[in-house]
Amino acid sequence: MTRYISFIFASFLLSFSALANSIHLQGKFEQGSLIKGNVPPQSQVLLNGKPVQVAKSGDFVFGFEREAKPEHELKVIYPNGLTEIKPLKVTAKKYKIDRVNGISKKIMKPDPKALARAKKDGKQVRAARNTESQQTAIFTDFIWPVTGRISGVYGSQRVYNGKPGRPHYGVDVARNTGTPIVSPADGVITLAVPDMFYSGGTVIIDHGFGVSSSMLHLSKLYVKQGQKVKQGEPIAEIGATGRVTGPHLDWRLNWFQMRLDPTSIVPDMKSVMKKK
Ligand SMILES: [Zn+2]
């Protein structure tokens, strides 16, 4: 009997130690970051008590928003019913104040028709970002949609013509109008509108598991809604459409409605430009 108990105890210890290394996480643990994870297939994952979708392979993703608190908890329920809780610590980021001047009156004080348009745009964008597909492109490595000087960063507090606005959620790459941009990973186009009120020519690409890329201020779109795209495939041209003062690409990364920092999933721009 004692032997039997010690056998059970030993196998319990074995399975426990095997499990202790079963949660793999990859990413920067700071505000605005996208984190990729892997657990044994068929495990359940909960972030702060809310279920996170897990792929058949055991891969999953989640994000820490701009104002994410320092303490988070990842709970994994393994297929054998055992549970592991992993506390996560998130570093706070300092956001700078960004003053943007020279925005036109038409954009600063939109007339009722324009406001109605902006509202309709917002609805369309939210619907596209709610896409919940099983595409696994999100678990691959991303590339920059275009290279160039970074003229705006994620999270900065925007002041438009002296009036405080919402924070800037994308990364801006300044290049001339007409410069082609490519899809940063495989995906499906969930939105392609040439003239949204604030974001101008706009494309949203679904990469799976709630993660999407938004490309703003485009001058020309090469893609249509529903179209599949491959990583590196040209999808549009840079422009200066919507609320802008000059031509640039504004690339945004979303986990459902949560806005994340696209630079958290691509190599540093300087290192990419050096290689060219
Ligand atoms: Zn921008």
Side-chain angles (χ1 to χ4, degrees):
M1 191 64 184
T2 332
R3 211 193 239 175
Y4 181 64
I5 287 172
S6 61
F7 169 74
I8 292 202
F9 186 66
S11 54
F12 172 76
L13 272 186
L14 252 179
S15 62
F16 188 78
S17 59
L19 287 173
N21 293 315
S22 298
I23 307 175
H24 297 105
L25 298 173
Q26 182 201 336
K28 294 176 202 161
F29 287 81
E30 58 182 32
Q31 290 176 333
S33 271
L34 182 113
I35 308 292
K36 297 182 185 182
N38 181 271
V39 286
Q42 320 237 308
S43 303
Q44 281 170 267
V45 175
L46 293 105
L47 177 69
N48 302 319
K50 282 188 195 146
V52 173
Q53 228 191 103
V54 181
K56 276 189 194 129
S57 55
D59 290 318
F60 61 96
V61 277
F62 60 89
F64 296 121
E65 61 190 344
R66 182 181 183 267
E67 302 297 336
K69 293 188 201 96
E71 315 269 340
H72 297 257
E73 187 192 275
L74 198 71
K75 182 176 172 180
V76 178
I77 305 167
Y78 293 105
N80 62 5
L82 285 179
T83 296
E84 187 175 345
I85 288 174
K86 197 177 172 84
L88 308 174
K89 282 217 185 301
V90 176
T91 317
K93 268 175 112 174
K94 269 204 181 135
Y95 300 110
K96 59 168 195 158
I97 294 177
D98 221 356
R99 290 173 202 281
V100 183
N101 296 311
I103 300 284
S104 73
K105 219 175 175 180
K106 186 180 98 199
I107 299 261
M108 285 305 291
K109 282 201 164 72
D111 58 43
K113 209 177 144 196
L115 272 180
R117 177 69 215 272
K119 213 174 155 186
K120 191 182 146 235
D121 292 347
K123 252 191 192 166
Q124 244 182 306
V125 165
R126 274 193 299 279
R129 296 212 317 240
N130 267 343
T131 304
E132 204 171 345
S133 79
Q134 303 289 312
Q135 280 190 79
T136 51
I138 183 53
F139 306 121
T140 64
D141 291 333
F142 276 50
I143 59 170
W144 281 92
V146 68
T147 55
R149 181 177 65 89
I150 291 179
S151 57
V153 296
Y154 171 90
S156 55
Q157 189 57 58
R158 278 282 165 100
V159 181
Y160 294 99
N161 294 2
K163 205 178 153 207
R166 294 212 292 173
H168 183 252
Y169 284 110
V171 59
D172 290 339
V173 183
R175 288 289 292 271
N176 292 338
T177 293
T179 307
I181 64 154
V182 301
S183 187
D186 291 358
V188 173
I189 306 296
T190 49
L191 183 141
V193 179
D195 57 348
M196 285 194 154
F197 183 69
Y198 286 113
S199 55
T202 308
V203 167
I204 300 182
I205 312 155
D206 168 40
H207 304 296
F209 292 81
V211 180
S212 60
S213 284
S214 302
M215 306 294 178
L216 317 183
H217 313 308
L218 306 166
S219 61
K220 193 173 175 186
L221 316 187
Y222 303 156
V223 291
K224 285 195 188 109
Q225 193 179 322
Q227 189 178 330
K228 277 188 190 162
V229 289
K230 285 275 169 207
Q231 182 178 57
E233 183 180 330
I235 52 169
E237 288 173 13
I238 285 182
T241 55
R243 184 169 59 185
V244 292
T245 51
H248 70 276
L249 170 71
D250 184 335
W251 174 29
R252 299 182 173 200
L253 185 71
N254 320 294
W255 180 49
F256 297 108
Q257 301 305 320
M258 190 186 281
R259 323 273 209 151
L260 301 172
D261 186 353
T263 65
S264 69
I265 56 162
V266 278
D268 186 60
M269 178 66 93
K270 277 180 201 146
S271 73
V272 174
M273 288 184 74
K274 236 182 245 165
K275 270 185 210 158
K276 281 205 149 183

